[in-house]
């Protein structure tokens, strides 16, 4: 596959062998049995890799399928408002809110506007930008949409859990506890212990469309890591 071909097609069930070995692509299994090929990114240790999803480069078909599935999983929480995390989480959050019948969503941001307040911000980092120290801001004009509402916090992918923790910390500063957390893809299992450290129950309140494992390389290619 060419790099621009990823995230464009949902393939029929059984199109690819999920066991491996995988060389350039990992076939993620979606609800209903469909499969989507994801590019494998090698990690710095040269031994491991992860499957990647860039949601704002996905086809409309893929985005529609993922958001419809995530909205279905969130419906039992009866959310009043969807809050999106930047950057790629905003694409997913907006579409999920529409699927739930909402007329708008609330985006958090990392680009400070002149009317933003320091006390409505927290530090933020992510696995894809580990050397960039940013701050996550809530627009003070959006607070009336959040207070006393059933909030769901949405990001595109959860891997280390760092971005989601920043979102939780910012909501806590606003005295808001979300009813659920949501992502399109859970990437490995590293996020579990990080979320658990924020308080009991967050892993159980997390919803996703699909999950991908940590991959380990040998002479044949990448396989699901055994440890």
């Amino acid at each position: 596959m060419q790099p621009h071909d990823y995230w464009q097609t949902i393939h029929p069930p059984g199109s690819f062998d999920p066991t491996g070995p995988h060389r350039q692509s990992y076939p993620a299994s979606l609800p209903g049995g469909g499969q989507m090929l994801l590019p494998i990114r090698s990690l710095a240790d040269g031994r491991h890799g992860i499957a990647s999803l860039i949601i704002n480069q996905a086809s409309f078909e893929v985005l529609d399928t993922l958001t419809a599935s995530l909205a279905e999983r969130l419906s039992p929480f009866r959310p009043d408002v969807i809050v999106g995390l930047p950057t790629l989480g905003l694409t997913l959050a907006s579409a999920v809110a529409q699927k739930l019948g909402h007329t708008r969503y609330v985006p958090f941001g990392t680009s400070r506007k002149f009317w933003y307040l320091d006390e409505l911000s927290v530090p933020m980092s992510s696995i894809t930008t580990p050397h960039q120290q940013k701050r996550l801001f809530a627009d003070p004009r959006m607070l009336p949409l959040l207070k006393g509402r059933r909030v769901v916090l949405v990001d595109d992918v959860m891997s280390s859990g760092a971005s989601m923790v920043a979102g939780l910390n910012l909501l806590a500063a606003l005295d808001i506890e979300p009813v659920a957390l949501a992502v399109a893809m859970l990437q490995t299992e590293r996020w579990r212990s990080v979320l658990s450290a924020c308080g009991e129950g967050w892993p159980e309140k997390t919803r996703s469309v699909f999950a991908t494992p940590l991959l380990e390389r040998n002479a044949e290619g990448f396989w699901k890591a055994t440890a």
Side-chain angles (χ1 to χ4, degrees):
M1 291 183 66
Q2 296 298 313
H4 59 270
D5 290 328
Y6 285 105
W7 315 301
Q8 302 305 301
T9 304
I10 296 176
H11 301 273
S15 296
F16 308 99
D17 182 1
T19 59
H22 310 293
R23 290 176 175 81
Q24 295 181 328
S25 309
Y26 177 82
S29 297
L30 303 180
Q35 294 179 303
M36 181 168 58
L37 285 179
L38 307 176
I40 296 175
R41 312 294 191 193
S42 295
L43 298 182
D45 64 6
R47 179 185 171 193
H48 294 94
I50 53 175
S52 172
L53 172 67
I54 308 297
I55 194 72
N56 67 353
Q57 295 179 8
S59 68
F60 297 137
E61 174 200 11
V62 168
L63 180 62
D64 186 67
T65 299
L66 296 181
T67 53
S69 181
L70 193 56
E72 181 180 359
R73 284 159 171 71
L74 292 175
S75 183
F77 291 97
R78 298 179 289 109
D80 297 317
V81 61
I82 300 297
V83 173
L85 287 172
T87 300
L88 300 183
L90 301 182
T91 297
L92 189 70
S94 174
V96 168
Q98 288 183 294
K99 294 292 186 186
L100 289 168
H102 297 181
T103 59
R104 67 187 302 173
Y105 82 113
V106 173
F108 284 166
T110 53
S111 176
R112 179 170 185 164
K113 311 303 181 186
F114 70 84
W115 62 87
Y116 283 9
L117 305 173
D118 287 339
E119 57 267 32
L120 299 183
S121 72
V122 296
M124 182 183 190
S125 64
S126 72
I127 189 173
T128 53
T129 56
H131 305 299
Q132 295 183 22
Q133 291 301 313
K134 301 174 286 188
R135 293 195 71 81
L136 183 66
F137 292 91
D139 189 325
R141 301 178 304 170
M142 299 293 104
L143 298 189
L145 301 175
L146 302 175
K147 295 291 186 179
R149 313 294 296 280
R150 296 179 63 83
V151 172
V152 170
L153 185 60
V154 172
D155 204 355
D156 61 324
V157 174
M158 185 150 58
S159 183
S160 68
S163 296
M164 192 66 78
V165 168
L168 283 171
N169 289 340
L170 184 50
L171 286 174
L174 304 176
D175 198 27
I176 295 169
E177 181 174 304
V179 296
L181 312 176
V183 295
M185 179 175 78
L186 293 171
Q187 189 182 63
T188 79
E189 293 288 320
R190 291 176 293 175
W191 59 274
R192 288 188 180 276
S193 60
V194 175
L195 277 195
S196 294
C198 291
E200 294 183 7
W202 286 122
E204 291 72 28
K205 293 180 181 178
T206 298
R207 296 294 181 268
S208 69
V209 181
F210 64 98
T212 57
L214 179 67
L215 301 172
E216 188 171 12
R217 190 202 308 263
N218 65 16
E220 297 176 299
F222 284 98
W223 304 77
K224 183 178 179 180
T226 56

